[in-house]
């Protein structure tokens, strides 16, 4: 575990897993908000779970070829760092887990949704009025099972913000609301979902970083 030395910064996290048979915003598992007891919880929605095969629509937007360009800017460095740290967490927690495969399609969805949250300053799983399953469908992601983690913080630099997102006091590894399980490819109750691919996206507005990450089994 990597402790944080930046406890004064604002941090909040949210995890979402949706079942295919449930309405988009129906709570199935977990609780509102997320983050750690030391961080204020924001209404980013409860963590349900989603297991329903979806085919890519013919008019879906193409994946951004720069979605995995880790040197494009600080937001991309942060996003690539998050994937690396999530995979490090998986290896540390269970050495038998394979690392998530970096997926440019998922990174595209994540970057666009992080940008939407930053622009609107609404930190929620349905900030744009859609479930994350709807967003994956709209971008042509032919998922069979999927999950979403969100985080927001005000740390000054991308590297420390990345470390805090995964390992810190308000980070996913310490979460009791489904974030930790999502990183391990599990639902909030600890049942395996066997997700294999992941993509993170980051946006910044003023002093606030917004992070979205998707986990998928095709």
């Amino acid at each position: 575990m990597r402790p944080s030395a930046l406890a004064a910064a604002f941090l909040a996290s949210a995890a979402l897993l949706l079942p295919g048979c449930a309405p988009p915003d129906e709570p199935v598992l977990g609780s509102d908000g997320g983050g750690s007891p030391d961080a204020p919880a924001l209404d980013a929605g409860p963590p349900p779970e989603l297991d329903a095969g979806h085919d890519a629509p013919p008019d879906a937007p193409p994946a951004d070829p720069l979605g995995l360009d880790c040197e494009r800017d600080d937001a991309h460095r942060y996003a690539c760092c998050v994937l690396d740290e999530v995979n490090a967490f998986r290896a540390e927690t269970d050495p038998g887990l394979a690392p998530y495969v970096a997926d440019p399609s998922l990174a595209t969805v994540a970057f666009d949704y992080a940008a939407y949250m930053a622009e609107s300053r609404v930190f929620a799983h349905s900030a744009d009025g859609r479930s994350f399953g709807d967003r994956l469908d709209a971008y042509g992601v032919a998922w069979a099972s999927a999950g979403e983690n969100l985080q927001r913080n005000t740390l000054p630099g991308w590297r420390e913000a990345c470390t805090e997102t995964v390992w810190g006091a308000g980070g996913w590894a310490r979460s009791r609301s489904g974030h930790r399980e999502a990183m391990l490819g599990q639902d909030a109750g600890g049942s395996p979902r066997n997700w294999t691919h992941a993509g993170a996206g980051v946006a910044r507005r003023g002093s606030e970083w917004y992070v979205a990450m998707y986990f998928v089994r095709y």
Side-chain angles (χ1 to χ4, degrees):
M1 186 65 66
R2 304 183 186 182
S4 168
L6 299 163
F10 173 80
L11 299 156
S13 299
L16 183 66
L17 316 159
L18 294 170
C21 59
D25 297 318
E26 179 181 346
V28 177
L29 296 168
S31 59
D32 288 343
S36 75
D38 301 320
L42 296 179
D43 184 17
E49 108 186 12
L50 213 154
D51 263 325
H54 285 242
D55 294 326
D59 57 348
D64 180 359
L66 295 178
L68 296 177
D69 180 1
C70 297
E71 297 304 319
R72 181 179 182 180
D73 53 31
D74 282 352
H76 281 70
R77 294 183 185 95
Y78 188 163
C80 290
C81 175
V82 167
L83 180 59
D84 288 344
E85 294 299 326
V86 166
N87 280 333
F89 172 78
R90 286 167 65 83
E92 178 179 299
T93 305
D94 183 350
L97 289 175
Y100 282 123
V101 176
D103 190 311
S105 295
L106 299 179
T108 297
V109 183
F111 270 105
D112 284 356
Y113 191 57
Y116 184 92
M117 289 191 294
E119 180 64 25
S120 64
R121 290 200 165 163
V122 177
F123 177 69
H125 289 290
S126 56
D128 60 355
R130 301 182 293 178
S131 73
F132 85 84
D134 292 336
R135 287 191 291 276
L136 293 176
D137 288 346
Y139 280 77
V141 179
W143 54 271
S145 178
E148 177 185 71
N149 272 6
L150 304 179
Q151 213 247 3
R152 181 172 75 166
N153 69 72
T154 58
L155 296 174
W158 67 267
R159 193 177 297 279
E160 57 264 47
C162 164
T163 301
E164 193 72 28
T165 293
V166 177
W167 302 95
W172 297 335
R174 299 189 185 188
S175 168
R176 292 172 290 183
S177 301
H179 312 86
R180 178 186 180 89
E181 289 79 8
M183 290 195 293
L184 297 174
Q186 303 168 355
D187 65 23
S191 297
R193 293 298 170 191
N194 300 318
W195 296 323
T196 56
H197 292 66
V202 175
R204 191 171 194 178
R205 180 172 178 180
S207 63
E208 292 182 326
W209 295 101
Y210 290 80
V211 184
M213 188 169 192
Y214 295 94
F215 311 95
V216 162
R217 170 169 48 82
Y218 289 106

